[in-house]
Amino acid sequence: MQGFGVDIGGSGIKGCVVDLDKGELVGERVRVPTPQPAAPEPIYGVVAEIVGRFGWEGRIGVTYPGVMKHGVAFTAANMDKSWIGTDFASGLAAVIPGTVQTLNDADAAGIAEMAYGAGRDERGLVLMLTFGTGIGSALFIDGRLVPNTEFGHIEVDGADGEKAASAAARDREGLSYPQWAKRVDRYLDVLEKSVWPDLIIVGGGVSKKADKWVPLLSTRTRVVPAQLQNDAGIVGAALAAEERIGQ
Ligand code: BGC
């Protein structure tokens, strides 16, 4: 069975047909730089262009890097503030042929990891964290998603958690992996005090270099790198659309 996923990020918008039996992209994905400012109208156009390039007319899952409930964006930590209150699902439905399901980007990545990657067959409380421009979170209880957990914004030492511990903070401040791992460790220490997961899956580009920082963490929870890496958002969005998971 095939599906279609689009992953919207602060720097790129990526889409592809997905093989839902294997959890893999079918052929090459299309990536278009995110228009700046990253406001709704130009992004609708980019999504329509990507979907049109594949001639896809079935159900489509589309991620958004903020709180997404019933098609409406509620936050925009790393996007243009004009997103807040925007009915994304209706806006997209007007420009693309298939039925649209929208969901948070980390929730989509988590859905993919739970179905095809590091979270396969894992029961109990599983927490997926994506380290990128911000920190995204997806929480699963016995495989079922608790949407929009937004753990990137827990308060750590008086500041928004993702500010110091995102992958963008590492780049911005030129931190070595050991230096950055200390920040991640502190962030996880605070997070672990209120959530007691059985497993933490770490995703985002930095998960490719997991051996450089994951062994330095002192978390009480088992931490494993994501397996789908760059494509998790696309794959998870496509699966969410097919199975109507998320909000
Ligand atoms: C947003 C989340 C998002 C994460 C990763 C955070 O700043 O609040 O909704 O999942 O960044 O993009």
Side-chain angles (χ1 to χ4, degrees):
M1 188 189 287
Q2 293 192 336
F4 198 95
V6 178
D7 192 24
I8 297 187
S11 60
I13 301 178
K14 302 168 283 188
C16 199
V17 176
V18 175
D19 179 328
L20 294 174
D21 298 314
K22 296 187 187 149
E24 287 171 7
L25 303 191
V26 178
E28 287 289 299
R29 67 177 190 190
V30 169
R31 182 186 187 277
V32 176
T34 306
Q36 297 302 331
E41 284 301 329
I43 288 183
Y44 295 151
V46 172
V47 176
E49 182 197 325
I50 293 174
V51 174
R53 281 214 228 162
F54 290 88
W56 183 265
E57 297 195 342
R59 293 187 70 84
I60 296 174
V62 184
T63 74
Y64 171 75
V67 171
M68 179 55 63
K69 282 176 82 71
H70 312 298
V72 177
F74 278 76
T75 65
N78 298 300
M79 298 291 276
D80 192 77
K81 299 297 173 231
S82 59
W83 275 95
I84 297 170
T86 295
D87 188 339
F88 188 32
S90 302
L92 280 177
V95 294
I96 56 179
T99 308
V100 180
Q101 167 131 13
T102 53
L103 73 164
N104 172 263
D105 58 352
D107 283 347
I111 286 168
E113 286 297 329
M114 293 304 287
Y116 311 106
R120 222 175 17 217
D121 304 325
E122 293 281 353
R123 311 300 292 166
L125 205 63
V126 179
L127 175 62
M128 162 99 187
L129 293 172
T130 61
F131 291 85
T133 310
I135 298 177
S137 62
L139 187 65
F140 295 84
I141 174 76
D142 290 337
R144 279 200 72 186
L145 173 70
V146 179
N148 292 308
T149 42
E150 292 292 314
F151 291 145
H153 302 294
I154 58 165
E155 192 180 311
V156 178
D157 303 325
D160 201 34
E162 69 176 23
K163 230 180 155 136
S166 65
R170 194 183 86 81
D171 295 340
R172 201 171 48 231
E173 299 178 42
L175 303 176
S176 66
Y177 275 104
Q179 285 169 326
W180 179 67
K182 266 196 194 140
R183 304 243 188 126
V184 176
D185 208 37
R186 175 73 190 128
Y187 166 76
L188 291 176
D189 186 40
V190 174
L191 186 54
E192 276 189 321
K193 290 207 165 87
S194 43
V195 186
W196 284 70
D198 297 295
L199 175 69
I200 297 176
I201 303 171
V202 289
V206 281
S207 63
K208 282 184 213 140
K209 298 264 168 69
D211 56 319
K212 290 194 191 295
W213 58 279
V214 171
L216 306 178
L217 301 176
S218 66
T219 46
R220 62 164 176 251
T221 314
R222 189 160 54 103
V223 179
V224 296
Q227 290 173 5
L228 281 87
Q229 298 179 348
N230 283 346
D231 301 329
I234 302 176
V235 171
L239 183 61
E242 192 53 44
E243 298 197 341
R244 289 119 166 112
I245 318 171
Q247 288 212 330

